[in-house]
Amino acid sequence: MAKGTIKINKKGDDGYKVISVRIKEGTLKKIDELSDKSNRSRNELINIILENSVDDVEIN
C-alpha cells in the first residue's frame, strides 16, 4: 500500500454479520458486568463467549 493510502473495507466485509437476538434481562446484566470488569465492549464479550462455547453444544 502506498504511503498515505487508507484502505477502507465496505461495511460488512469484516466477516461479521449483524443480527438481532433476545436475551433475558438477568443474562444481559451479567454480560454487562463482565464487560465492565474486562474493559471489553458488550459485543466483543458476547462474541468471545459464543466462539468459546458453540462447539460444546450437544443436540440430543
Side-chain angles (χ1 to χ4, degrees):
M1 201 168 6
K3 184 176 178 180
T5 302
I6 298 172
K7 182 177 180 186
I8 300 174
N9 293 329
K10 291 182 181 178
K11 190 172 182 177
D13 283 353
D14 61 357
Y16 289 87
K17 299 294 179 197
V18 177
I19 64 166
S20 175
V21 61
R22 291 174 40 158
I23 298 177
K24 290 184 178 181
E25 191 173 329
T27 302
L28 185 57
K29 182 178 179 186
K30 290 177 186 179
I31 290 170
D32 286 340
E33 289 170 356
L34 289 171
S35 176
D36 289 341
K37 289 179 184 177
S38 66
N39 198 30
R40 295 181 182 268
S41 70
R42 178 193 285 170
N43 183 71
E44 184 179 9
L45 188 58
I46 290 171
N47 271 289
I48 291 169
I49 292 167
L50 288 172
E51 287 174 12
N52 285 286
S53 59
V54 70
D55 291 332
D56 295 333
V57 175
E58 183 178 310
I59 307 295
N60 293 319

